[in-house]
Amino acid sequence: MSWKVTALAPRPIIEAALIAHEDAWDWDSEIIVSGSEIAEDKPDDWRLEAWLDRKPTRADKAALTRLFTGKAPPFQIEELPETDWVTQSQAGIEPIRAGRFYIRTPDFPASAEPGVVDFVIPASQAFGTGQHATTAGCLAMLTHMKAQGLVIRNFADIGTGTGLLAFAAFALWPRALGTASDIDAVCYDVVYDNALANGIAMGSGLGQLAMTVADGMENPVLQANSPYDLIMANILAGPLVELAPDFADALVPGGHLLLAGLLETQEAAVRKACRRAGLRLAARQVNGDWSILWLRKRHRYDGREA
């Protein structure tokens, strides 16, 4: 059985708690936390939800309480039936159009619109179906980058989830070398299955995707395949700040970095870390509350902030 803890509060309080969660370096990885608005017609009323595979202990509840500044809102604790909640939440979701891409589950037919790249991404244990604003924003930004004349020969997708962003990069630059990684080992098989369903070749050659399980950039496959023309990372603001120097080191001079997974309120901290690493902002988009950043590595870094 699994358990869920829910706290209701105004949006600023929940957003602050989510930021505190990202900054908690010693957070128990078995406690999965998310936040969202309660309903579309109540945009200022939010909830924080935490999922555990055990009954919440006193220590678990204390950890959640520490996410809130001042008095924490009351917690509602409920026992849940054994369910794959990621699959459940993604089942039957509507297709989306983002940039040149049409993303759907197998429940829906392919798009008949000319020039649109169709991807089938089933509901699965990995995140990244394109429905989230950050993934859709990345697809739109990749389309914009291609329209600006970028030529990508070697890319990496960090925190790939379902593999969708890597697949999109191949659709735009089909002869590139591609590398994808995720900290979650379940993504390894998910990416392979999705690649097969979408006609993406797995391997280490031109037009092929190499998949590895990695925490950050210190991984033999990622290091062997670097330096990259393009790195994509749709993860969380905290890791983006921490990994900014590693991303810069793994890019060729003038290389490109596409970042997402950060709220607008977190953008300043991420951009500051990138400036210190010699990465300059080329373009930004906002999709809902989320920022999508395109940055470029200087051809020659002189140690000063942009």
Side-chain angles (χ1 to χ4, degrees), residues 28-42:
D28 184 347
S29 61
E30 294 185 358
I31 306 177
I32 308 301
V33 174
S34 71
S36 63
E37 62 184 26
I38 294 174
E40 290 187 6
D41 59 346
K42 297 180 179 180

Side-chain angles (χ1 to χ4, degrees), residues 26-238:
D26 58 346
W27 187 260
D28 184 347
S29 61
E30 294 185 358
I31 306 177
I32 308 301
V33 174
S34 71
S36 63
E37 62 184 26
I38 294 174
E40 290 187 6
D41 59 346
K42 297 180 179 180
D44 296 325
D45 296 336
W46 276 44
R47 63 182 163 228
L48 182 139
E49 295 174 307
W51 288 269
L52 305 88
D53 60 2
R54 59 178 182 266
K55 185 176 181 178
T57 64
R58 182 179 299 178
D60 295 333
K61 288 182 278 188
L64 291 168
T65 299
R66 287 194 295 271
L67 296 179
F68 295 91
T69 302
K71 185 177 180 181
F75 292 141
Q76 303 170 17
I77 301 175
E78 57 183 312
E79 187 176 8
L80 305 171
E82 197 62 45
T83 306
D84 180 350
W85 289 105
V86 175
T87 300
Q88 182 78 5
S89 67
Q90 295 177 359
I93 53 179
E94 294 288 330
I96 69 158
R97 171 72 186 274
R100 287 178 53 185
F101 303 99
Y102 183 77
I103 315 301
R104 62 185 176 87
T105 66
D107 303 321
F108 295 90
S111 171
E113 185 178 352
V116 171
V117 179
D118 181 89
F119 285 126
V120 181
I121 305 293
S124 71
Q125 292 176 285
F127 290 95
T129 62
Q131 296 296 320
H132 195 277
T134 59
T135 311
C138 286
L139 294 171
M141 185 65 87
L142 285 171
T143 301
H144 173 68
M145 294 165 78
K146 174 69 174 182
Q148 297 304 303
L150 263 66
V151 176
I152 302 300
R153 299 178 178 85
N154 187 14
F155 70 82
D157 180 10
I158 308 302
T160 189
T162 61
L164 177 56
L165 294 185
F167 301 166
F170 273 127
L172 298 172
W173 300 284
R175 294 292 292 169
L177 294 169
T179 309
S181 72
D182 202 286
I183 193 173
D184 190 347
V186 75
C187 296
Y188 193 89
D189 290 336
V190 169
V191 169
Y192 265 82
D193 291 342
N194 288 341
L196 179 64
N198 288 282
I200 303 296
M202 300 299 295
S204 57
L206 293 174
Q208 296 180 335
L209 181 65
M211 176 65 193
T212 187
V213 177
D215 181 3
M217 298 297 292
E218 294 184 3
N219 169 271
V221 174
L222 289 171
Q223 293 180 351
N225 292 348
S226 67
Y228 302 99
D229 303 308
L230 168 66
I231 295 176
M232 303 171 285
N234 180 14
I235 44 179
L236 294 170

